[in-house]
Amino acid sequence: MDADIPAGPSVRRGQRIDSGRFLSVLIDNLDGMVCRCAIDRHWTMLFVSEGCRRLLGYSPEELIGNRYVSYEALTHPDDREHVRREIVAALAAGVRYRIEYRVVCRDGSIKWVLERGVGVQDESGRQVVECFIEDITDQVEAQQRLAETEARYRSLFENAVVGIFQTSADGQYLAANTALARMYGYTTVDELMAGLRDIEGRLYVQPGRREEFKRLIRDRGYVSSFESEVYRLDGSTLWIAETAHAVHGADGELLYYQGTVEDISDRKRYREQLEHQANHDPLTGLPNRNLLRDRVEQARVHVAREGGEVAVAFVDLDNFKVINDSLGHAVGDELLMVVAARLKSCLRAIDTVARYGGDEFVLIVHYPGDRATIGRVLDRVLQAIARPIQVAGHELMVTCSIGVAMLEGDAGVDVLLQHADAAMYSAKAAGRSTYAVYTPDLNAAAVERLRLESALRHALERGEIDVHFQPKVDRAGRVCSLEALARWTSAEFGAISPAVFVPIAEDTGLIGPITEFVLRSACEHAARWIGTGVAPLTIAVNLSPRLFRADGLVSRVSGELAAAGLPAACLELEITEGTLMGEGIDAVQQLRALKAIGVRIAVDDFGTGYSSLAYLTRFPLDILKVDKSFVARAVPGSEEAILARAIVSLGLELGLTVVAEGVETQEQWQLLSDAGCHEFQGYLFSRPLPVQLADAWLASRRTAGEGRGLPN
């Protein structure tokens, strides 16, 4: 390079530049390193710029002459042979070379570098290599990520279960996947693209669909669930839904359309049926509660336009559950269909009969404004339902109770139904087979109970029923079981005591689904606890009388155990004395069937009912639970203590596991332990806990060590 470099703006005229210093600074500040190396087995460095510090972590002094390490050693072992072969070949051909490879830096990290060089003769005429080496790690990794992404998307494209396509504006396939080819009846994608060159004319059944497809994309930029009937290769048709958008070039020119295709033939075929099912009761064909809401609002509009009044009547069959439980669901269903027909016969075409659920119906009755008119309609309904009904050789007598709320003001549908429901329970309280009209001055306590009943009917579906768990411990204080207990926190009323809502649930029949929910949750959580090492551990569930007497109990319990993955031996079913002694089912046979699948049976609240030796020996039981009423007053020398010890002794003689409920003091624990009780349950150990706190309680017992002192 010429030593005389023209002066720049910052150089005084006539001043000369130190070209050596200029080149040194320039080379040292390049983003990479400049090298001269010998053509030997070490690529011995003869000159290295300061860029080696940033690139490799070594100083020039450490690299020159292989003083500390050779560049051959810094080249990745897997790349050394390739690098040498490429460079030697370029030198032999007298051409420049360009090669990418990896180097190992001082800190052990690996970088990708690009080396560009050429063979030259040095000052003594010896051939050497002069090169520039720069870090290209980011570029290489970006290329690798791009290649991986492309491979993933190619796999998604080729293996997707929905059809994927790219089509030109003139209606030809540019790309498609196997799913689309098979959907249209072609064996391969190539066959599809060769055989279907005119999408507008040969694919769509309805003319103009392709133009509509293109128009929507022009207007909105995309189409979503664009439904069309299309031809398959064999001439048959199917319904598809296309979701697509346009892809444009940098200049805005349309390149192609791309999107997905889904076969919706089944969906299309059943849509009308599904829509009907969504709004109608499948048994009676009446409007269901979804359509009922719309009918109430239609009635409101009609009154505003035409005048008159509307009554919303809640109809509940008084003794349907007895018939359904005793004669079976088939008879119950036929009875409901007869009732539905009779209700419709009592009303006009403008009115509505809807099935609200179970044995509940709702009537929307239009009348001119005379309250006596609505009274006559309801009397007609009561008389129609009370007539004997012949079903499957049985003459059935059914009555109904009706609650009425007037469509007044802007009261919402939920409020109207709540008022009608409350009035209906008022009619039941008045002796049944009558009707009552809602008024604000209904007895406050009755309204409160009715509101609770109404809220409880929806508690499960609203997620308001929760399951809490109360531990049971053995004599050493080791946890051996937990009892699952239903708890209700109402969005409207807050936390409701089990002493309040359980009797309501039993009266209304809601105890059945609540018990099933508790059983399901208990099995799931017990399986999870056992899976995390809380073993051995059993879970106890109170079995409602209704569920115990129901058909298919054993299969339900087996199904819940299987679904949760819980061994049957880990489940205890607690049944009250009254349930076992009740009518309607062979309790011994039911208990034997339950024990046959491996679950354990406990008699709950022993001492409050029949409490006889004959009773205990009659049934195949495993566990006897001493009622808390004995435990609460069990102090040394008391009658309750004597009775408690007698009950424990009786259980032990029969070979039963004896559990004491309601243990609240250490004195009670000691007394009952001395009496021979095996397990204990009560606030002394823990109150019923929601699942998160039960998790923490169990974890704390494991951490602290089982049986070390009494729990707080």
Side-chain angles (χ1 to χ4, degrees):
M1 182 175 179
D2 191 338
D4 295 328
I5 299 176
S10 60
V11 180
R12 293 192 301 272
R13 186 175 300 278
Q15 182 180 356
R16 299 177 65 83
I17 292 178
D18 184 343
S19 60
R21 179 179 177 279
F22 177 83
L23 289 174
S24 176
V25 171
L26 177 63
I27 290 172
D28 287 342
N29 283 282
L30 288 174
D31 193 11
M33 67 181 195
V34 177
C35 312
R36 173 185 281 185
C37 64
I39 305 172
D40 58 16
R41 67 187 183 92
H42 297 296
W43 299 117
T44 301
M45 290 293 176
L46 306 174
F47 170 81
V48 187
S49 70
E50 282 292 327
C52 64
R53 295 181 188 272
R54 295 184 296 274
L55 181 63
L56 301 172
Y58 294 97
S59 67
E61 292 77 16
E62 291 174 310
L63 296 179
I64 293 175
N66 305 324
R67 188 168 302 164
Y68 184 81
V69 64
S70 71
Y71 193 71
E72 174 74 5
L74 296 181
T75 303
H76 194 283
D78 294 343
D79 296 343
R80 289 171 187 167
E81 182 179 349
H82 168 64
V83 170
R84 183 169 296 276
R85 185 171 58 250
E86 291 293 321
I87 295 177
V88 169
L91 295 176
V95 297
R96 297 177 180 273
Y97 65 86
R98 184 181 188 278
I99 185 171
E100 296 178 4
Y101 59 94
R102 292 164 292 178
V103 294
V104 181
C105 301
R106 186 172 203 140
D107 61 4
S109 63
I110 296 174
K111 292 181 179 179
W112 278 93
V113 296
L114 168 62
E115 179 178 334
R116 287 172 290 186
V118 65
V120 299
Q121 290 185 341
D122 65 6
E123 293 79 0
S124 63
R126 181 181 58 174
Q127 189 177 32
V128 295
V129 172
E130 291 185 349
C131 60
F132 178 68
I133 304 172
E134 60 180 314
D135 184 357
I136 60 167
T137 303
D138 290 343
Q139 298 94 306
V140 171
E141 290 179 349
Q143 291 172 355
Q144 291 173 343
R145 288 194 298 270
L146 179 60
E148 291 170 0
T149 300
E150 289 177 347
R152 283 198 302 271
Y153 279 102
R154 170 55 58 182
S155 176
L156 287 173
F157 179 80
E158 293 175 349
N159 298 305
V161 296
V162 298
I164 303 176
F165 68 86
Q166 288 181 346
T167 61
S168 63
D170 60 358
Q172 296 189 50
Y173 281 101
L174 304 176
N177 68 346
T178 302
L180 185 66
R182 291 175 178 171
M183 189 184 303
Y184 289 167
Y186 294 88
T187 305
T188 66
V189 172
D190 290 340
E191 287 183 10
L192 167 68
M193 297 180 66
L196 193 54
R197 295 183 178 275
D198 179 10
I199 294 176
E200 169 64 29
R202 298 191 56 190
L203 179 63
Y204 295 101
V205 173
Q206 181 182 355
R209 290 302 287 166
R210 177 69 174 180
E211 288 304 315
E212 179 67 8
F213 171 90
K214 294 160 66 174
R215 184 191 66 79
L216 289 173
I217 291 183
R218 280 197 306 271
D219 294 345
R220 300 186 303 190
Y222 69 95
V223 293
S224 179
S225 297
F226 182 75
E227 297 185 4
S228 307
E229 188 176 14
V230 299
Y231 291 109
R232 301 181 81 248
L233 177 61
D234 62 4
S236 62
T237 63
L238 73 156
W239 280 88
I240 63 169
E242 295 176 271
T243 297
H245 63 275
V247 177
H248 297 89
D251 58 356
E253 180 184 1
L254 174 65
L255 299 179
Y256 51 83
Y257 302 109
Q258 70 179 16
T260 61
V261 178
E262 182 183 2
D263 182 351
I264 61 166
S265 299
D266 290 340
R267 186 192 313 168
K268 190 76 175 179
R269 187 177 304 116
Y270 295 116
R271 180 171 295 169
E272 290 185 2
Q273 179 182 349
L274 294 176
E275 288 176 354
H276 181 84
Q277 291 176 350
N279 292 295
H280 292 80
D281 171 49
L283 177 65
T284 64
L286 295 176
N288 62 14
R289 63 177 64 190
N290 294 329
L291 189 53
L292 173 65
R293 292 178 171 276
D294 181 67
R295 293 291 176 86
V296 172
E297 294 306 327
Q298 288 183 28
R300 194 190 305 276
V301 172
H302 179 84
V303 168
R305 185 178 64 246
E306 304 293 338
E309 294 190 34
V310 170
V312 176
F314 210 108
V315 180
D316 183 88
L317 302 183
D318 291 325
N319 51 348
F320 173 77
K321 291 181 176 62
V322 174
I323 295 171
N324 203 46
D325 291 344
S326 60
L327 299 180
H329 294 292
V331 172
D333 288 348
E334 191 169 346
L335 172 62
L336 289 173
M337 289 189 284
V338 173
V339 169
R342 290 187 180 183
L343 289 173
K344 290 179 66 177
S345 70
C346 294
L347 304 184
R348 300 171 300 165
I350 193 175
D351 302 325
T352 294
V353 180
R355 186 180 178 200
Y356 197 71
D359 60 346
E360 298 171 332
F361 299 84
V362 174
L363 314 180
I364 302 175
V365 184
H366 295 256
Y367 64 99
D370 179 8
R371 294 289 174 96
T373 302
I374 188 63
R376 288 191 293 271
V377 172
L378 297 176
D379 284 336
R380 188 162 64 244
V381 169
L382 291 169
Q383 294 168 11
I385 300 303
R387 293 199 311 270
I389 300 175
Q390 297 292 331
V391 176
H394 302 278
E395 184 176 73
L396 306 177
M397 301 297 294
V398 181
T399 60
C400 66
S401 298
I402 306 174
V404 183
M406 301 304 171
L407 184 62
E408 298 173 334
D410 58 354
V413 176
D414 290 332
V415 173
L416 280 169
L417 294 175
Q418 179 181 330
H419 289 172
D421 190 47
M424 182 269 293
Y425 280 102
S426 179
K428 282 186 178 292
R432 305 191 175 195
S433 191
T434 186
Y435 68 86
V437 179
Y438 176 82
T439 58
D441 58 349
L442 284 172
N443 179 269
V447 171
E448 184 72 8
R449 177 182 170 87
L450 296 173
R451 291 175 63 205
L452 282 171
E453 290 181 13
S454 181
L456 186 58
R457 291 178 182 276
H458 309 291
L460 269 178
E461 65 189 51
R462 292 171 178 167
E464 296 177 352
I465 301 295
D466 196 8
V467 180
H468 287 204
F469 299 89
Q470 187 172 33
K472 291 185 282 187
V473 303
D474 61 15
R475 294 170 185 167
R478 294 184 295 262
V479 61
C480 51
S481 178
L482 293 98
E483 181 176 358
L485 301 164
R487 291 295 183 265
W488 178 25
T489 303
S490 168
E492 182 179 359
F493 299 102
I496 308 298
S497 168
V500 173
F501 79 81
V502 169
I504 295 175
E506 290 174 344
D507 290 344
T508 58
L510 295 171
I511 195 67
I514 290 175
T515 303
E516 291 182 2
F517 171 75
V518 173
L519 175 63
R520 183 178 309 115
S521 299
C523 290
E524 291 172 353
H525 289 300
R528 178 173 59 84
W529 283 322
I530 292 173
T532 56
V534 184
L537 182 70
T538 59
I539 195 77
V541 177
N542 291 282
L543 206 58
S544 70
R546 181 176 295 273
L547 191 59
F548 180 71
R549 296 190 181 100
D551 293 335
L553 171 63
V554 176
S555 62
R556 290 186 194 180
V557 173
S558 299
E560 297 297 349
L561 289 169
L566 181 68
C570 295
L571 176 63
E572 299 173 4
L573 295 178
E574 298 188 1
I575 305 167
T576 63
E577 295 176 87
T579 299
L580 293 175
M581 300 302 292
E583 298 179 354
I585 191 172
D586 186 339
V588 174
Q589 181 180 356
Q590 188 80 301
L591 292 176
R592 286 174 177 167
L594 288 169
K595 287 182 64 65
I597 65 173
V599 303
R600 304 179 73 208
I601 306 297
V603 57
D604 197 12
D605 301 334
F606 186 80
T608 61
Y610 301 88
S611 308
S612 70
L613 179 61
Y615 154 75
L616 286 178
T617 57
R618 176 184 171 191
F619 297 111
L621 304 173
D622 301 290
I623 302 165
L624 183 149
K625 297 190 72 174
V626 183
D627 185 68
K628 61 185 176 183
S629 62
F630 294 98
V631 176
R633 297 186 294 273
V635 295
S638 67
E639 291 184 0
E640 287 78 8
I642 295 172
L643 287 172
R645 278 196 292 267
I647 294 171
V648 172
S649 178
L650 179 62
L652 295 176
E653 287 294 327
L654 294 173
L656 302 178
T657 298
V658 183
V659 180
E661 294 183 292
V663 179
E664 297 186 357
T665 68
Q666 189 171 1
E667 184 182 37
Q668 293 167 349
W669 186 11
Q670 187 66 53
L671 186 151
L672 292 162
S673 179
D674 292 343
C677 255
H678 301 96
E679 298 177 8
F680 310 86
Q681 178 180 358
Y683 278 25
L684 176 62
F685 313 104
S686 173
R687 65 180 60 249
L689 303 170
V691 65
Q692 296 87 350
L693 294 182
D695 287 341
W697 191 90
L698 291 170
S700 70
R701 302 287 287 189
R702 288 199 302 272
T703 303
E706 285 285 344
R708 295 182 182 177
L710 294 176
N712 293 325

